[in-house]
Amino acid sequence: MDVNKEVHDDVRTGVQTGASDDRVWSGEWVAERLGVELVGDDMLTGLLGLALRRNPKRAHLLVSNVLGKHVPQSPSVVYGHGFALGRRVRDLLDDRQARQAVVLGYAETATGLGHSVCDGLGLAPYLHSTRRPVPGVAQAGGFEESHSHATSHLLLPENPALLTGDGPLVLVDDEFSTGNTVLNTIRDLHARYPRRRYVVVALVDMRSAADADRLADFAREIDARVDLVTAASGTVRLPEGVLEKGQALVARHEAETTLAADTGASAALPEGGAAAAVADRGAAAGTDGGVTDAVAEDSGTVPPDDSWAVSPDSATLPAVPAEQPTGRVTRVDLRWPRGLPDGGRHGFTPAHRARLEGALPAMAARLAEALPARARRVLVLGFEELMYAPLRLARELEQVVSAEVRYSTTTRSPVLAVDDPGYAIRTRLVFPAHDDPADGAGERYAYNVAGQGFDAVVAVVDSAADTPALHAPDGLLAQLTAHTPHVLLAVVPSYAPEPPRVPAERPAMLPEPLRGPAFSSYAPEEVGWLLQDLSDVTLEAPTEEREEAIQGGGAHYAESLPVEYQPTEQYQELFHSALEASAARLAQAVGVVTETVLTEFPHSRLRSSGGTPNPRPVLVSLARAGTPVGILMRRWAQYRHGLDLPHYAVSIVRGRGIDVNALRWLTDRYDPAEIVFVDGWTGKGAITRELAQAVEDFEKSHGSTGFDPEIAVLADPGSCVRTYGTREDFLIPSACLNSTVSGLISRTVLRADLVGPHDYHGAKFYRELAGADVSVAFLDAVSARFSEVADAADAQAKELLCADRTPTWEGWAAVERISEEYGIQDVNLVKPGVGETTRVMLRRVPWKVLARSGAGRDLDHVRLLAEQRGVPVEEVADLPYTCVGLIHPKYTRGATGADGKAVTV
């Protein structure tokens, strides 16, 4: 299914069905009485209705039919509109700008819309303004919304750097009426964090020509580009004196509603005042109900003072008017992921989005299980600024239940309710604020809930709002139980950033990854290197000198670099012929391992049908041998599934562990469960074990849990891992060379005088070898064969997924046997497999090569290197690998001639 097509289909459906009555425009009542007109796009009246509110600055209210605030709507329609706008922003920006962008939504009405736009954009973090100050979180900005009933907006990002970049700022609101809010926002933020480009997004643009000119003039004034993306545009024509007429009309209807509530005599009320009165009267009658648990186990957040709660056994419901149903409240434990923000108040990153995507199916299943079996019409009701989480839950629920699901949220905005098909707000529920707002107690509202035939309402609030006031006799839950037989309460933990617990000497932020062409010959999007550049440091030492120091215990192999082997013309010809012969086999192995990773990825819903941004594994290759493989896996995922997988390279050093600062950078941005470690091949499994231990140590010391220490490899001849492309020991041409097939990057370096406790491990970029570089040619040669092996790779991956892939560690057993048989007594000097043997020949002092009898062209390059270095090749009948390289045991320079070729013990 075309994901984007489905989103746009949802959008069209919303325009057709958004009005409260298909035959009557839901703005007709106001238009007739006040002379207000909407002039513009044909779809405008489908998107908007009209209502009245008590506001000294503006009497009329544009009521969106597709926003999910005042009018219950299909969550797919609501989400689809925002997502489609985000896709248009993505089309407007290139991918580089999209990654540098920040999306900012407006509280309270556009918090969910802004988040949906951000999902459509796909690559950027999200932040929304808030009217809820949070202790301990510094304000990074603020602005005024001049026409609103609550004007002050705060910006409280957990990471203040979120607003400091120079990429595009995408501002999202539900409507542009005058453009003042956007101007105020840009003016405030541009003074603090100037940038060159802004994109303004809204469902509808209702500005006058003069207002549009003001924004254009302002953009010229600050020398910035401002683009507009909207679903529809038009203007509101207001007759003279409309504010006074509107205020008088509101006052009259409110007086009639109050009279009806006091007397119960609704028959004489004109133009629908009775319905509003009934809704308000039912709210006043109320019920405190009984709060029951949907599951027998711990049901989640429990308010600190439970003296007001009624136990299921003893609950008695007070009487309510006979014409209204009464219901009970059932608490449902969503099991919201620990540490996942409930929205964008403090920032919401693409990594957060992926975690949410992975958790949504299980949370929606818990809601579905708690719903009454015969529910035909269900409302998911969000809470003021908490719009996005309820929207996503509602949309997920819509996919798994047969009932009609609708979504809306409560609001601070006071609007007159009139029970007329030509009026957008038919009924309202009134209840006291229940989140201890900083600006004091006040009324809150839920519109178009009463009298809409909902069999069940799922109320979703954050834990800051799960207070006694929520459960009080006049609280929101009581109002809901007066109008629907089943109310479910789902509480999302309020995310509050913890104060940073960072030692003073540790830098607040680690450097961003190095990328080509400044570091490596790979394209910048192919890989980010979590390394520090040591290109200007002399690290190379003669091979024999390094070997003696390493085996003598005076140095670690990662403290220096071997002199880069410069291949002869004959050896280069071997590389190219090997690449031509093995490219298809390599491509198939790449396909198999990538398909296995995508299928088994913990959050895998890669072909979700709703147009949502899909969760993606984060490939983390072990530099440097894993890096070309990580890039090829990334290319396969893009070719086969259209996925753009993040890919980074990190250092791991045998005996020293993985680069903890690189892991710290990754966990600051991604859920550890998203990370898939990648390497080229396994030998005896030393790095597999090293990684498992290093991850365990990191989780204990840093408190970040959820890593899967399993490595995904192209070839696993040692049977050390479960995720592999093949277990054959064959030539991977990237093993034939050093930096010239690995982006011109050296192996990694870890030395105390160069790498501090808060630094990444180091590496060098050999720019001077660019003339011999075949890194990209190798990748392109393998990628070019993807199309011809795709079906075979898919079939092989499916077979492997059904097979027993438990590691047998037979490679390790073989290495121990060889070490003993040849009197080496050190498994680290035995390097099994074609790739590891090649490394011995290029970097270490080899003693001999063991080759399996009958090994063919896979060993041509090894035989050539052995001949050049005077190393004997011994054929062995029962060798489990194609070959094994033996490093000279107990090496000293005295054991060889001056040329290093006399390698007898």
Side-chain angles (χ1 to χ4, degrees):
M1 178 179 291
D2 187 326
V3 167
N4 291 332
K5 178 180 183 299
E6 180 163 342
V7 169
H8 292 300
D9 287 345
D10 286 343
V11 170
R12 286 194 294 270
T13 302
V15 172
Q16 293 165 0
T17 65
S20 56
D21 189 312
D22 289 339
R23 297 162 298 174
V24 180
W25 173 45
S26 62
E28 188 173 292
W29 192 94
V30 174
E32 288 179 352
R33 285 156 180 78
L34 295 185
V36 176
E37 294 182 73
L38 296 191
V39 180
D41 295 350
D42 292 340
M43 61 188 297
L44 203 57
T45 55
L47 289 172
L48 295 174
L50 291 173
L52 298 176
R53 60 181 174 180
R54 182 179 290 280
N55 187 309
K57 301 173 183 177
R58 185 189 300 171
H60 73 280
L61 175 70
L62 297 175
V63 179
S64 173
N65 293 317
V66 297
L67 183 65
K69 175 55 75 171
H70 303 88
V71 178
Q73 178 59 276
S74 161
S76 292
V77 170
V78 176
Y79 188 68
H81 270 81
F83 192 88
L85 287 169
R87 281 299 187 208
R88 289 177 56 193
V89 176
R90 176 78 175 266
D91 292 341
L92 181 67
L93 306 174
D94 57 36
D95 281 359
R96 181 184 63 82
Q97 290 189 87
R99 287 189 181 91
Q100 296 174 342
V102 177
V103 180
L104 176 62
Y106 287 93
E108 70 179 47
T109 308
T111 58
L113 175 66
H115 214 143
S116 303
V117 168
C118 190
D119 284 356
L121 183 58
L123 302 173
Y126 177 63
L127 178 71
H128 71 68
S129 66
T130 181
R131 296 188 175 102
R132 179 193 289 179
V134 178
V137 182
Q139 183 175 333
F143 49 89
E144 297 296 311
E145 185 178 6
S146 57
H147 67 269
S148 175
H149 58 281
T151 60
S152 295
H153 289 247
L154 307 174
L155 294 178
L156 305 176
E158 178 174 16
N159 179 7
L162 192 66
L163 292 170
T164 61
D166 61 357
L169 180 64
V170 182
L171 301 151
V172 184
D173 208 351
D174 57 319
E175 61 166 279
F176 303 150
S177 50
T178 64
N180 287 336
T181 303
V182 169
L183 282 173
N184 290 338
T185 307
I186 296 177
R187 182 178 286 110
D188 177 84
L189 292 178
H190 196 79
R192 303 179 187 219
Y193 319 110
R195 58 187 74 226
R196 294 183 292 273
R197 188 169 189 181
Y198 298 87
V199 181
V200 183
V201 182
L203 288 169
V204 292
D205 179 3
M206 304 300 291
R207 295 171 303 155
S208 66
D211 288 331
D213 290 342
R214 282 194 306 120
L215 182 59
D217 292 342
F218 179 69
R220 285 190 290 270
E221 176 188 326
I222 63 172
D223 192 25
R225 175 175 174 177
V226 180
D227 296 290
L228 269 67
V229 176
T230 62
S233 61
T235 57
V236 182
R237 291 182 181 171
L238 302 174
E240 188 175 346
V242 69
L243 179 59
E244 293 76 12
K245 287 176 64 177
Q247 290 173 338
L249 193 56
V250 170
R252 181 166 70 90
H253 274 266
E254 286 186 340
E256 293 169 346
T257 298
T258 301
L259 175 63
D262 290 340
T263 65
S266 61
L269 287 177
E271 300 171 336
V278 168
D280 287 340
R281 186 175 72 250
T287 174
D288 57 359
V291 181
T292 63
D293 291 337
V295 288
E297 56 196 272
D298 180 18
S299 59
T301 303
V302 176
D305 177 10
D306 62 359
S307 60
W308 43 267
V310 182
S311 71
D313 294 332
S314 62
T316 58
L317 300 179
V320 295
E323 69 269 24
Q324 298 171 356
T326 60
R328 298 174 67 84
V329 178
T330 301
R331 187 184 291 271
V332 180
D333 181 10
L334 289 173
R335 299 180 194 170
W336 185 266
R338 181 172 174 266
L340 177 65
D342 53 302
R345 181 178 286 113
H346 304 298
F348 200 93
T349 66
H352 291 144
R353 182 182 305 126
R355 285 191 69 197
L356 178 62
E357 295 291 340
L360 277 171
M363 291 193 290
R366 293 184 188 105
L367 291 176
E369 184 180 357
L371 285 172
R374 297 183 180 180
R376 294 168 301 171
R377 186 168 162 82
V378 176
L379 173 68
V380 177
L381 183 67
F383 159 64
E384 297 186 28
E385 292 177 11
L386 186 71
M387 295 187 70
Y388 179 74
L391 171 61
R392 297 308 311 279
L393 287 166
R395 189 170 180 278
E396 198 71 30
L397 187 65
E398 191 177 38
Q399 313 301 315
V400 298
V401 298
S402 58
E404 177 186 284
V405 177
R406 290 293 179 261
Y407 159 80
S408 65
T409 71
T410 65
T411 176
R412 287 171 162 241
S413 179
V415 186
L416 178 70
V418 178
D419 187 19
D420 188 287
Y423 190 83
I425 304 297
R426 304 288 292 273
T427 64
R428 74 174 182 177
L429 300 179
V430 184
F431 50 92
H434 52 89
D435 61 340
D436 298 323
D439 55 355
E443 289 185 344
R444 299 295 185 262
Y445 312 93
Y447 296 111
N448 294 324
V449 175
Q452 300 301 303
F454 292 115
D455 302 305
V457 174
V458 181
V460 182
V461 302
D462 61 20
S463 55
D466 186 17
T467 63
L470 174 67
H471 302 260
D474 60 345
L476 171 60
L477 296 181
Q479 315 291 20
L480 295 175
T481 56
H483 294 282
T484 187
H486 300 279
V487 175
L488 308 184
L489 173 62
V491 179
V492 177
S494 300
Y495 181 78
E498 294 184 6
R501 294 190 296 266
V502 181
E505 70 275 9
R506 178 169 135 178
M509 294 181 63
L510 286 160
E512 291 298 300
L514 301 172
R515 294 184 183 272
F519 187 83
S520 89
S521 59
Y522 293 131
E525 67 275 9
E526 299 267 35
V527 61
W529 302 85
L530 290 169
L531 298 169
Q532 63 166 315
D533 188 353
L534 299 179
S535 300
D536 297 330
V537 182
T538 300
L539 295 166
E540 292 76 13
T543 300
E544 288 74 23
E545 180 181 317
R546 291 183 73 249
E547 194 66 49
E548 184 175 18
I550 292 168
Q551 291 197 35
H556 189 277
Y557 76 90
E559 293 178 343
S560 62
L561 294 174
V563 177
E564 280 283 306
Y565 169 74
Q566 297 303 304
T568 63
E569 184 174 341
Q570 182 183 7
Y571 188 84
Q572 290 183 58
E573 289 176 1
L574 271 178
F575 167 81
H576 288 291
S577 62
L579 178 57
E580 183 178 352
S582 64
R585 183 163 54 164
L586 281 167
Q588 183 166 332
V590 169
V592 171
V593 69
T594 310
E595 292 298 328
T596 303
V597 166
L598 296 180
T599 303
E600 295 191 329
F601 184 57
H603 306 312
S604 183
R605 293 195 304 130
L606 295 168
R607 297 177 178 85
S608 77
S609 61
T612 63
N614 295 315
R616 303 171 298 169
V618 178
L619 302 180
V620 177
S621 58
L622 303 181
R624 72 187 165 182
T627 308
V629 177
I631 294 175
L632 286 169
M633 290 175 66
R634 183 180 182 278
R635 287 188 177 189
W636 180 277
Q638 207 161 37
Y639 158 75
R640 197 67 172 156
H641 302 286
L643 293 173
D644 186 14
L645 302 186
H647 176 217
Y648 304 96
V650 303
S651 169
I652 187 169
V653 175
R654 180 173 48 80
R656 301 285 180 86
I658 200 164
D659 187 338
V660 295
N661 290 308
L663 284 191
R664 186 162 63 85
W665 187 92
L666 288 165
T667 55
D668 284 345
R669 288 154 181 82
Y670 301 100
D671 179 357
E674 298 173 302
I675 291 172
V676 177
F677 293 104
V678 174
D679 207 355
W681 56 85
T682 64
K684 58 182 171 287
I687 290 297
T688 305
R689 295 184 174 188
E690 186 79 42
L691 179 63
Q693 185 61 53
V695 165
E696 181 181 342
D697 293 343
F698 179 81
E699 291 188 339
K700 288 179 181 177
S701 61
H702 289 75
S704 298
T705 60
F707 285 102
D708 182 356
E710 176 88 19
I711 307 177
V713 298
L714 202 60
D716 179 36
S719 188
C720 308
V721 297
R722 290 185 70 259
T723 308
Y724 53 85
T726 179
R727 277 185 168 156
E728 294 179 32
D729 183 20
F730 71 96
L731 171 62
I732 299 174
S734 60
C736 291
L737 301 171
N738 284 324
S739 65
T740 52
V741 78
S742 303
L744 299 181
I745 301 301
S746 73
R747 63 152 302 122
T748 59
V749 173
L750 179 58
R751 205 170 80 192
D753 61 327
L754 298 173
V755 179
H758 307 305
D759 296 330
Y760 298 134
H761 295 186
K764 298 187 73 167
F765 176 25
Y766 291 116
R767 298 171 178 83
E768 65 274 15
L769 300 181
D773 188 27
V774 294
S775 303
V776 176
F778 167 72
L779 298 173
D780 290 347
V782 177
S783 302
R785 312 298 284 273
F786 284 171
S787 60
E788 68 185 72
V789 303
D791 291 341
D794 285 347
Q796 186 179 344
K798 289 176 182 175
E799 289 179 9
L800 280 178
L801 287 165
C802 298
D804 181 6
R805 293 174 286 133
T806 305
T808 64
W809 293 91
E810 61 182 287
W812 190 276
V815 166
E816 289 182 326
R817 186 177 66 251
I818 291 169
S819 175
E820 182 176 353
E821 182 179 338
Y822 284 82
I824 298 174
Q825 307 304 325
D826 184 354
V827 293
N828 290 324
L829 300 181
V830 180
K831 302 294 184 180
V834 178
E836 292 300 299
T837 301
T838 304
R839 285 178 165 185
V840 171
M841 305 302 293
L842 296 178
R843 300 185 196 167
R844 306 294 292 270
V845 175
W847 179 32
K848 61 180 64 179
V849 173
L850 309 181
R852 187 167 58 205
S853 299
R857 295 186 60 184
D858 281 336
L859 288 188
D860 284 353
H861 73 294
V862 172
R863 293 189 180 95
L864 176 61
L865 287 172
E867 179 184 343
Q868 291 174 348
R869 299 200 63 180
V871 177
V873 178
E874 179 181 321
E875 291 204 353
V876 180
D878 59 349
L879 199 65
Y881 296 89
T882 301
C883 62
V884 176
L886 304 182
I887 297 173
H888 195 293
K890 300 180 181 178
Y891 173 80
T892 65
R893 277 169 284 182
T896 70
D899 59 2
K901 292 182 180 179
V903 290
T904 58
V905 177

